[in-house]
Amino acid sequence: MYREKDFDIIVIGAGHAGCEAAHACAKMGFATALFTIYLDTIAQLSCNPAIGGLAKGHLVREIDALGGIMAKVTDMAGIQFRMLNRSKGPAVWSLRAQADRILYNVYMRKLLEATENLFIKQAMVEEIVVENGKVKGVITSLGVFYGARAVIVTPGTFLNGLIHIGLDSFEAGRAGEFPSKRLSDSLKKLGLKLGRLKTGTPPRIDAKTIDFSKTEEQWGDFPPPPFSYSTKEITNPQVPCYITYTNEKTHEIILKNLDRSPLYSGKIVGIGPRYCPSIEDKVVKFREKPRHQIFLEPEGLSRKEYYANGIPTSLPYDVQVAFVRTIPGLEDAEIMRPGYAIEYDFVYPTQITHTLEVKGIEGLYLAGQINGTSGYEEAAAQGLMAGVNAALKIKGKPPLILGRDEAYIGVLIDDLVTKGTQEPYRMFTSRAEFRLLLRHDNADLRLREYGFRIGLVDEETYEKFLKKKEALEREIKRLKTTIIKPSDELNRALTYAGTTPIEEATHLDKILKRPEINYEFIKRFAPSEESLTKEIEELVEIHIKYEGYIAKQMEQVERMKQFEEKIIPEDFDFNLPGLSKEVIQKLNEVRPRTIGQAMRIPGVTPAAISILMVAIQKGAFSRK
């Protein structure tokens, strides 16, 4: 075995998790090696060419606030930006961007290659070396050993990847790329329990063969709102997506060919994503629906390839051609790449801690789809946190663990390590108890301080943030302390807006709280002496309008904290009299850090929590 070089931290896999992890470790001052099977597919948008969306957009904003890179690269590669859910409350607003697949890869690689302390290597890592419960390094397929103080594993769908198209299958981590087989074996030898998941992708269509006149054009927002707080302006040309639908003829062809589907013939054993089902699943499970929506999404400015979002499939190629050509606008469609399903190994995430370090193996971290998640954004968020915590541990500093009340990233990681998952986990706003606090617009107010403290946010960026925060606080204070008197002009405007006139002097914030009134109305009658950005004006309006609801959620957070602050000793013995075998098994599997975490474990009852709290107070039940 040849020993080439030692690094502080090694990251295995250069997908979205790996890129964030490697960048964070290097920026925090550590010599970091990023290993990828193929250099040209760094940060590949393997599935749909889009970043963000419902709840996922929140994760991207949080990554940016902490000093991560996904938002910046998306802004550089974005070709359509849309704020979703504008008709609903601000808690569920979420940005989504179509990205140019080639530009995303180019800009991410350029950024990583320019990062000091970061070394990118094309090699297949096959073994993780652990001695006495501590990581020592990795061995590649060429028999080269690289030493490391920490190893972060982010293999995406490459662990024992198996692609299915009809009843044909072949080993691959992604179409046209080698899978990682021996790494799975290495993880098993380390004592980790692995499972099997499945995801899928739709066919890609040649734009020359699409009749766009039969589809609905869908543009983004103008001007396009950026993801990153650092982006001043989106400079790429903006392009539309197109909407079309399946129909009864489409469904008939699919149903007639289910015997040739690997999903319905039993060939696929991995569990697929519940919230992003294949078109076969949609047709079978929702037979009453006459049609299903399809978004035709451009792969990039320089490509004539469209991603048919809404019809992921693993049916045989001839069946794909047949059913695609029943769809309006796609009657003459030529498939450039067929859809397929892919199965891959994952590690049951209850085997890791909130820092994403593997329990019982010091210095080994897991991030991304290996932990059972789906989606670029969930992977990138984990990659960032794994990188940060690996670096903090080497520095001898406390870990960064975000609470469920602080970030969607906190919700994501807590759900994984506490509840585990049997299917690909996807982030939703409904998973967050305190989603009014975790809005898309205030990610920097929640997390920028952390980013600066750990060294991922530079001083100039942090100073700009502080000025913005101070301006926001001054304007909120002004609205709460400034009184406006009744006038004919003001009352006519209030009446025209659909609300009641005022009869006595009223504070500005009381007027802004009215549903019919927005900040533009306040500016008309009582403008600030400061020149405020649209971003600050929107923040002010949200804060004032939802102040009462925000206060109630803060009270809930304080009540929750009393349980989060009740620490369970590391050596605590959960084999308590009065607890069922099932509860004891779950507590021993997760080994919760706090009573709050124990309360969130599925199957752990309130009665069990009471027994646990009494035992902790007595301090009489420690493992020998």
Side-chain angles (χ1 to χ4, degrees):
M1 183 171 63
Y2 171 66
R3 181 166 187 158
E4 184 187 356
K5 185 178 181 180
D6 289 350
F7 294 93
D8 292 314
I9 300 170
I10 286 174
V11 180
I12 303 171
H16 304 283
C19 290
E20 292 288 350
H23 175 264
C25 294
K27 288 284 283 185
M28 291 175 73
F30 292 101
T32 304
L34 175 60
F35 284 88
T36 176
I37 294 174
Y38 192 42
L39 280 172
D40 292 342
T41 55
I42 287 174
Q44 179 88 306
L45 296 172
S46 309
C47 199
N48 60 320
I51 299 291
L54 302 181
K56 292 170 175 280
H58 291 70
L59 289 172
V60 180
R61 268 290 175 97
E62 291 176 355
I63 291 167
D64 186 67
L66 288 166
I69 51 180
M70 175 175 264
K72 293 182 179 70
V73 176
T74 301
D75 289 345
M76 290 189 283
I79 55 178
Q80 187 195 99
F81 293 78
R82 291 180 65 231
M83 186 67 76
L84 307 180
N85 273 350
R86 273 290 193 184
S87 62
K88 299 180 181 178
V92 294
W93 293 352
S94 203
L95 187 59
R96 184 179 190 271
Q98 294 296 138
D100 184 301
R101 192 184 294 275
I102 294 175
L103 290 179
Y104 194 93
N105 167 268
V106 167
Y107 286 127
M108 181 64 81
R109 181 169 175 176
K110 185 177 180 180
L111 190 156
L112 294 176
E113 288 180 339
T115 301
E116 193 176 349
N117 301 318
L118 179 56
F119 304 89
I120 306 172
K121 292 182 174 290
Q122 180 169 300
M124 183 180 289
V125 174
E126 293 192 336
E127 185 178 347
I128 298 165
V129 180
V130 174
E131 294 178 6
N132 300 318
K134 189 172 183 178
V135 157
K136 293 297 180 182
V138 303
I139 301 173
T140 72
S141 59
L142 298 178
V144 182
F145 174 82
Y146 294 89
R149 300 159 75 183
V151 172
I152 304 171
V153 187
T154 69
T157 60
F158 280 70
L159 281 185
N160 268 333
L162 184 66
I163 283 178
H164 299 274
I165 301 176
L167 300 181
D168 296 318
S169 58
F170 52 92
E171 295 178 345
R174 198 162 39 208
E177 297 183 53
F178 295 115
S180 177
K181 294 179 65 63
R182 292 186 180 176
L183 186 57
S184 265
D185 295 334
S186 179
L187 293 169
K188 289 175 185 175
K189 286 178 184 176
L190 294 175
L192 289 167
K193 181 184 175 185
L194 274 62
R196 199 85 171 140
L197 294 178
K198 165 254 173 187
T199 189
T201 188
R204 272 71 161 181
I205 312 297
D206 187 340
K208 297 193 301 290
T209 64
I210 300 174
D211 184 350
F212 292 106
S213 68
K214 295 182 179 180
T215 66
E216 304 168 28
E217 197 173 61
Q218 183 189 60
W219 286 89
D221 297 343
F222 286 96
F227 261 115
S228 175
Y229 290 99
S230 303
T231 301
K232 294 179 180 178
E233 183 183 12
I234 303 298
T235 57
N236 285 332
Q238 300 295 286
V239 297
C241 294
Y242 299 87
I243 300 173
T244 185
Y245 298 87
T246 63
N247 52 57
E248 291 180 356
K249 181 64 176 173
T250 316
H251 302 174
E252 181 185 336
I253 292 172
I254 292 169
L255 290 170
K256 280 184 178 178
N257 287 279
L258 286 180
D259 60 324
R260 300 175 65 197
S261 163
L263 189 62
Y264 282 89
S265 66
K267 193 170 184 183
I268 291 177
V269 297
I271 301 171
R274 182 186 311 186
Y275 304 104
C276 188
S278 67
I279 188 62
E280 299 97 286
D281 258 349
K282 289 181 189 177
V283 171
V284 170
K285 293 177 180 177
F286 305 101
R287 294 196 186 214
E288 73 283 0
K289 290 199 172 186
R291 66 178 192 171
H292 295 283
Q293 192 175 56
I294 301 168
F295 291 91
L296 299 175
E297 301 173 345
E299 295 266 329
L301 297 173
S302 61
R303 290 188 172 187
K304 296 296 182 184
E305 188 176 2
Y306 273 74
Y307 179 94
N309 192 347
I311 51 170
T313 183
S314 57
L315 285 164
Y317 180 75
D318 60 300
V319 180
Q320 292 188 36
V321 172
F323 83 68
V324 163
R325 290 179 178 170
T326 65
I327 295 166
L330 304 181
E331 292 88 350
D332 298 314
E334 290 290 337
I335 293 178
M336 298 179 77
R337 310 184 202 210
Y340 62 83
I342 182 166
E343 288 185 278
Y344 55 93
D345 290 346
F346 81 107
V347 172
Y348 289 101
T350 51
Q351 298 170 96
I352 58 176
T353 69
H354 279 81
T355 65
L356 300 183
E357 188 175 24
V358 173
K359 295 174 181 176
I361 304 179
E362 189 177 348
L364 180 59
Y365 296 79
L366 310 181
Q369 283 177 285
I370 191 172
N371 289 335
T373 58
S374 67
Y376 312 140
E377 305 82 3
E378 290 91 340
Q382 292 173 72
L384 175 64
M385 298 306 291
V388 166
N389 281 310
L392 289 173
K393 183 161 188 174
I394 293 175
K395 287 184 176 185
K397 294 185 176 181
L400 177 61
I401 298 173
L402 300 174
R404 297 181 70 92
D405 60 309
E406 292 181 296
Y408 274 90
I409 295 175
V411 175
L412 165 67
I413 293 174
D414 186 64
D415 277 355
L416 291 174
V417 304
T418 302
K419 302 175 182 177
T421 188
Q422 301 292 326
E423 61 185 50
Y425 177 102
R426 180 179 179 178
M427 180 52 70
F428 292 103
T429 54
S430 58
R431 294 190 189 274
E433 307 93 308
F434 310 112
R435 55 185 172 272
L436 191 53
L437 303 180
L438 309 182
R439 303 187 310 276
H440 182 275
D441 59 86
N442 70 354
D444 61 338
L445 297 173
R446 294 183 275 118
L447 302 174
R448 188 64 98 187
E449 182 73 35
Y450 286 127
F452 178 67
R453 196 185 306 165
I454 60 179
L456 291 183
V457 173
D458 61 71
E459 197 162 336
E460 182 182 351
T461 301
Y462 185 63
E463 287 298 325
K464 287 180 181 177
F465 159 72
L466 289 179
K467 288 178 181 177
K468 167 190 164 180
K469 185 180 178 184
E470 288 162 4
L472 171 65
E473 290 169 350
R474 282 195 301 270
E475 182 60 2
I476 290 172
K477 183 178 180 181
R478 183 183 77 88
L479 295 181
K480 287 177 171 291
T481 56
T482 302
I483 291 174
I484 190 169
K485 295 179 180 179
S487 69
D488 291 341
E489 183 185 4
L490 173 62
N491 282 335
R492 278 196 301 269
L494 289 169
T495 302
Y496 183 77
T499 186
T500 55
I502 60 172
E503 297 180 357
E504 57 186 30
T506 305
H507 283 97
L508 291 176
D509 68 309
K510 296 294 188 293
I511 293 178
L512 185 53
K513 280 184 186 291
R514 299 184 181 190
E516 303 85 358
I517 303 301
N518 57 24
Y519 186 82
E520 286 296 321
F521 187 98
I522 300 296
K523 279 174 67 177
R524 176 180 164 190
F525 289 95
S528 170
E529 293 181 1
E530 289 188 67
S531 179
L532 302 176
T533 64
K534 284 289 183 186
E535 180 190 10
I536 292 177
E537 291 177 357
E538 187 172 86
L539 280 165
V540 168
E541 182 172 333
I542 292 170
H543 180 89
I544 294 296
K545 283 188 178 295
Y546 293 90
E547 189 175 29
Y549 298 104
I550 292 170
K552 286 181 181 178
Q553 289 215 337
M554 289 303 297
E555 289 173 8
Q556 293 171 359
V557 169
E558 290 305 312
R559 287 197 295 271
M560 181 189 76
K561 280 184 177 177
Q562 66 178 309
F563 296 107
E564 296 300 329
E565 290 169 0
K566 290 187 185 296
I567 304 297
I568 300 175
E570 284 187 19
D571 62 346
F572 192 82
D573 187 353
F574 291 107
N575 294 288
L576 300 173
L579 293 184
S580 69
K581 288 182 179 179
E582 180 191 0
V583 168
I584 292 171
Q585 180 184 350
K586 289 185 175 181
L587 289 169
N588 278 318
E589 179 186 359
V590 176
R591 297 213 60 82
R593 298 178 303 113
T594 66
I595 290 294
Q597 187 187 356
M599 292 170 70
R600 293 190 292 276
I601 299 173
V604 176
T605 63
I609 293 296
S610 297
I611 293 171
L612 186 57
M613 290 179 69
V614 169
I616 290 171
Q617 287 167 3
K618 287 182 178 179
F621 294 93
S622 293
R623 292 189 293 178
K624 301 297 183 186

